[in-house]
Structures are given as structure tokens and as C-alpha cells.
Amino acid sequence: MAKILVTGGAGFIGSHTAKLLNRAGHRCVVYDNLSRGHLEFVKWGPFRQGDVRDGGALCRLLDMEKIEAVIHFAALAYVGESVIAPGVYYDVNVGGTCALLQALADHGLDKVVFSSTCAVYGELSDKSIGELTKPEPINPYGITKLACERMLSDFERAYGMRHVCLRYFNAAGADPDGEVGEDHMPETHLIPLVLDAAMGRRHAVSIFGDDYKTADGTAVRDYIHVCDLAAAHVRALDYLLAGGPSRTLNLGSGRGASVAEVIDEARRVTGRPISVVQAPRRPGDPARLVADPGAAGEVLSWSCRRSDLGTILRDAWRWHEQRFSGRVV
Ligand code: UDP
């Protein structure tokens, strides 16, 4: 079985992927600078602390370890932060990916699974989003991820480096065994904030906009369980190891849930009251983002197992209570 370098493997999706890689019989080396990740999430392979922009450190690691392929998560991933501080997003996301790909090319490595995002698509209409939809990102986060996708194509032309770009919709949930889960600082995502309100760590959850053109007026997103995302990464890796050509694939459940539906379901799952306050729309938020995940299903022989809203919230709640009880926001 292969030895895999997992950059950003101490983060939310990276740590869940490391667990499933291990279960599938692969070995992984986690490379993370711990700026956003958690050391205690590194449980399934050796850890090397380092920055993805540090080409020298990456080359030393690749000299020492016999790596066969890379799953590249290490990046900054907040839309709002990218608008306020674009420079750091270009530096870490684009500069970091460039340093990594050059180190891989210099070591003759040619297989990369890349963590991309539905933010590359930009403002969209009512339909489900397929991969043929023209990317037109509207914030620096989406622009930097699209730049990395294009960089991967350039490295393929120059060095024959094959890649699978996985464009995630809304990652949520947690490992059902409770070994890892979501812990962002600061937290801006809907589901952990709703669970904070259910736990009493926050007074209420804000609903950003109730006048969208959707059934109940609140914004609709495609929530996908982090374990389903992690499973897709393992499939994408095996696909590249088996010689598959480069692909770009959407990862979502294919179903939309509105902010109001998420809150209602969280009340049901937790059995707790959850107070809400109406707030203005968040700048840059489209009304509806729902994936057409058909291509990923076909190419990777993959489908979602835990991405119904009830299971996502049950798994997230179990983790959230265990991790955050007694901790103030
Ligand atoms: N949202 C909200 N209140 C919050 C956080 C998020 O109403 O406190 C909404 C947000 O406007 C979006 C949806 O919930 O429509 C999902 O937001 P999240 O930040 O979780 O993910 P995003 O879709 O921005 O990647």
C-alpha cells in the first residue's frame, strides 16, 4: 500500500481523510504548520510540522520519505477573511501550492489530489451545479483555489503530473467514533454556531438574510458529511494510483437545505431550544449552492452514506458536546 503525504492533515477534512486512508491500508505522513489545525487530530501517521510555502522543508521531507502521492489540503479557507486580507490568501494558497508542486516535480512525483471548493463557481442560479458550469469566482478565496487548479494543469503539461481536483460544497458533521471533528478558530460556519446556541455557549444564532428567492426566504446550501468527503479523497487517490487521467469533480450530496431547515433539524436532533435573530445578508453569499455530484459518483464509484441532514447533525452534536462542554467561546 502507498505512503501518502497529507498536507493540512491536522485540519478538519484532512484529519478525517487520514483516518480513512489508514483504514484503507495506506500509510500517511501529515505535514501541517498548525496555524489552523490541531496536533491532537494527528493520529494516523507520523507528523512533520512545516509550512507549505517552505520549499526547502518539503524537499527535505521528500528526500527522507518514499512518498507516492499527495493529498493537498493545506490552505486558508474563509471567504470573509480572504476579502479583508487577500495578500495572505494568495501567499498561502497560491504560493504554497506552487512551492509544493515544484518540490513534487523536482522529486519526480506525479499524483496529486487537490482540495478545491464550490467557491470557484461564484454567483449562481437555481440549477444544480455541474463541473461544466463556467467558474467565475467572486472572492479571493475562490480565485486562489481556481488559480491552483490551473497551476495543476500547467504542471501536468510540463511534468505529466496527474491530479484530481475535488470541489467541495459545505463540509459538516464529524467522525461518528468521536476521534476527530470540527474546531475552527474563529468559527463562522452555520452548523457549529447552531450547535453552540443549542449548548448555551452562544445566546442565539443569526440568520443572515430571510428575503432570498428560496422556499422559506433563507439561503440554501448542500451540506456533505466530512466522512463522505474523506471517503471520496481515498477513492480519488486510488483512482490516480490506478493510472486514471486528471479530473475535476464536485463533491456534494446533491440536496439543498435552507438555513431555517438546518436550525429546525438541529432543534429536533439536540432536543434543545435554539434562539434565532434575523440579521442582514452576509456580503457575497449566493441564494443557493447545490451540487450535481453525478460525475464523482461515476468516476470514483462513490456515493454519500452519511450526508442526510439528521445524520450530519447527530454526528456533529456528539462531537460538539464532547469537545466544547465547559469551554467558553
Ligand atoms: N449562515 C447564517 N448564520 C450564521 C452563519 C452562516 O445564516 O451564523 C448562513 C450563511 O449566510 C450561508 C449558510 O448559513 O447561507 C452556510 O454558511 P457557512 O458559513 O456555514 O458556509 P458557506 O456556505 O459560507 O461556505
Side-chain angles (χ1 to χ4, degrees), residues 170 188-190 193 205-208 219 221 223 259 282 285:
N170 287 57
T188 63
H189 295 110
L190 179 65
L193 293 175
V205 64
S206 300
I207 296 183
F208 295 151
R221 293 288 180 274
Y223 296 91
V259 173
R282 197 169 60 177
D285 268 353

Side-chain angles (χ1 to χ4, degrees), residues 238-301:
D238 287 339
Y239 165 88
L240 288 176
L241 290 171
S246 295
R247 291 294 302 244
T248 295
L249 299 168
N250 286 343
L251 295 182
S253 70
R255 283 185 305 261
S258 72
V259 173
E261 284 170 336
V262 169
I263 295 169
D264 276 346
E265 186 66 11
R267 288 188 181 114
R268 202 181 62 77
V269 164
T270 63
R272 305 274 180 91
I274 298 172
S275 307
V276 300
V277 292
Q278 301 300 334
R281 291 183 183 194
R282 197 169 60 177
D285 268 353
R288 186 174 188 276
L289 284 175
V290 179
D292 172 355
E298 261 172 53
V299 173
L300 305 179
S301 307

Side-chain angles (χ1 to χ4, degrees), residues 71 82 110 130 133 139 160-161 184 206 216 243 246 259 263 298 308 316:
I71 306 185
S82 79
D110 62 357
T133 305
N139 52 60
M161 194 180 281
H184 295 119
S206 300
D216 61 23
S246 295
V259 173
I263 295 169
E298 261 172 53
D308 61 282

